[in-house]
Amino acid sequence: MSYSILIVDDSFPMRSVIKKTFRSAGYASAQFLEAADGKQALERMKNDWIDLVVTDYNMPVMNGLDLVKAIQTLDLLKNIPIIVVSTEGNETKIKEFMDAGARGYITKPFTPENIRDLVTDILGEVDYDEDIDDSDEGFDF
Amino acid sequence: MMKTLTTAMKASISEVLETMFFLPIEFGDQKTHTQTKMDKEKANMACQLKFSGDFNGRFLLVTPKDLLIEVAENFLGESRDTLEDEHLVGTLTEMLNMICGNALSKLDSKVPFELDIPEVISESDIPGSQPFIIIKTTQSNMAITVIIE
């Protein structure tokens, strides 16, 4: 099954790295959508089908925590799983995200295995026959 | 305090640079920016990240541009021919962001630290007398410091 994954991060290189990490973790056939902050993410979620949101915390305009809270107030969107990928590893902050409705939290630095383990818990096993990364983008963990 | 923070920073620098940027490193003796002579040798790029919490301050990272290009190639999986300034700035700020967030999360703080958005600064904004941790790579050196305010 091909998933539609929304990556929310104000850093363009970081969005690119997260995409490549997902591909490397087995989600090669996923469709990736991008947003640079929480506000842009909400707009995309209202207009596009999304299976999973992967968001940073620290962003301008609307940060990741406010995004998670905003999604929970919207009946059409609140069941979409959200994973936070952030540099901030403080337990209080992680609990704040989980209490707000996030389904998982990964701290940077991360590996493809960290991503695969968490996403498998949320979306189920990857079909590797379908999702083998045969792209030639030179990214290799 | 500074000793604890420096220890946390060194652990984070190793973890971040080796895991996300595939860059083996060693640490050199601490030097001021003036003593490193980095400003005399090559074109550099620098950025800072302010934080607040149990105490407030800012991290500063300085790296030669040619080393940053190599780091960006590793990080993004792109060849240097395709890299533009946006990629270099993004790599530089993300590197500092990860080091800073990772280091502060290792501290036993009463309240979570809040990080600002990293910003590129001019080399002339780097305090010349501030001691920096020297990060030695096979190609050249980077320098990082934290200033408590």
Side-chain angles (χ1 to χ4, degrees):
Chain A
M1 177 176 178
S2 180
Y3 294 108
S4 180
I5 300 173
L6 175 62
I7 299 173
V8 191
D9 198 308
D10 57 319
S11 163
F12 155 68
M14 199 63 223
R15 295 198 301 269
S16 176
V17 166
I18 291 172
K19 271 193 293 189
K20 287 174 181 176
T21 306
F22 265 87
R23 290 188 179 121
S24 186
Y27 296 90
S29 65
Q31 178 193 6
F32 294 98
L33 305 174
E34 299 184 29
D37 58 56
K39 192 176 171 192
Q40 278 186 21
L42 284 174
E43 288 303 312
R44 295 223 69 158
M45 293 180 77
K46 288 171 186 170
N47 295 313
D48 295 287
W49 178 267
I50 306 289
D51 296 300
L52 175 70
V53 177
V54 180
T55 183
D56 187 18
Y57 166 52
N58 200 18
M59 297 178 288
V61 185
M62 179 189 275
N63 69 34
L65 184 58
D66 290 339
L67 171 63
V68 174
K69 289 176 179 171
I71 290 171
Q72 299 311 308
T73 66
L74 301 169
D75 284 342
L76 283 173
L77 304 180
K78 68 182 181 187
N79 292 323
I80 298 172
I82 306 165
I83 292 175
V84 182
V85 178
S86 174
T87 56
E88 306 206 24
N90 183 286
E91 284 183 13
T92 308
K93 184 63 71 185
I94 295 172
K95 185 173 184 309
E96 205 174 351
F97 267 101
M98 301 306 279
D99 289 348
R103 294 276 295 276
Y105 197 107
I106 294 174
T107 52
K108 301 174 192 172
F110 55 79
T111 64
E113 289 73 24
N114 300 142
I115 298 275
R116 185 169 54 221
D117 290 349
L118 183 56
V119 177
T120 299
D121 278 349
I122 294 170
L123 295 180
E125 287 288 337
V126 179
D127 180 351
Y128 285 97
D129 289 339
E130 193 178 318
D131 277 281
I132 288 170
D133 182 0
D134 56 0
S135 64
D136 186 25
E137 297 189 4
F139 189 80
D140 188 19
F141 277 95
Chain B
M1 166 58 72
M2 277 310 291
K3 191 176 175 185
T4 306
L5 190 50
T6 301
T7 303
M9 281 172 67
K10 284 185 172 178
S12 298
I13 290 163
S14 297
E15 195 178 336
V16 168
L17 294 185
E18 288 170 13
T19 306
M20 296 295 296
F21 298 89
F22 315 104
L23 195 66
I25 59 141
E26 291 180 0
F27 293 106
D29 294 334
Q30 288 203 3
K31 290 179 180 174
T32 66
H33 186 57
T34 308
Q35 287 169 336
T36 64
K37 298 180 181 171
M38 286 174 73
D39 55 333
K40 301 279 190 291
E41 293 170 353
K42 296 173 179 175
N44 296 309
M45 291 183 74
C47 69
Q48 73 173 8
L49 178 52
K50 295 177 183 170
F51 64 90
S52 56
D54 279 359
F55 54 91
N56 303 336
R58 60 192 169 117
F59 286 82
L60 290 170
L61 174 66
V62 189
T63 179
K65 191 170 180 180
D66 55 2
L67 176 58
L68 183 59
I69 290 169
E70 184 184 319
V71 172
E73 281 185 300
N74 290 351
F75 185 50
L76 301 171
E78 306 278 352
S79 87
R80 64 179 54 214
D81 304 335
T82 63
L83 295 178
E84 297 177 1
D85 276 355
E86 182 186 18
H87 298 95
L88 299 184
V89 167
T91 301
L92 177 70
T93 53
E94 195 55 44
M95 186 160 47
L96 182 60
N97 192 34
M98 282 192 227
I99 292 169
C100 178
N102 191 288
L104 292 176
S105 69
K106 291 182 190 302
L107 303 180
D108 188 19
S109 59
K110 293 191 185 80
V111 292
F113 285 97
E114 292 288 340
L115 308 182
D116 273 7
I117 307 290
E119 54 185 341
V120 173
I121 59 170
S122 159
E123 211 173 353
S124 61
D125 293 331
I126 299 168
S129 58
Q130 172 72 20
F132 277 75
I133 296 171
I134 305 302
I135 305 166
K136 299 164 76 171
T137 76
T138 51
Q139 187 185 116
S140 55
N141 296 343
M142 290 186 269
I144 188 167
T145 192
V146 59
I147 300 170
I148 307 296
E149 291 164 346

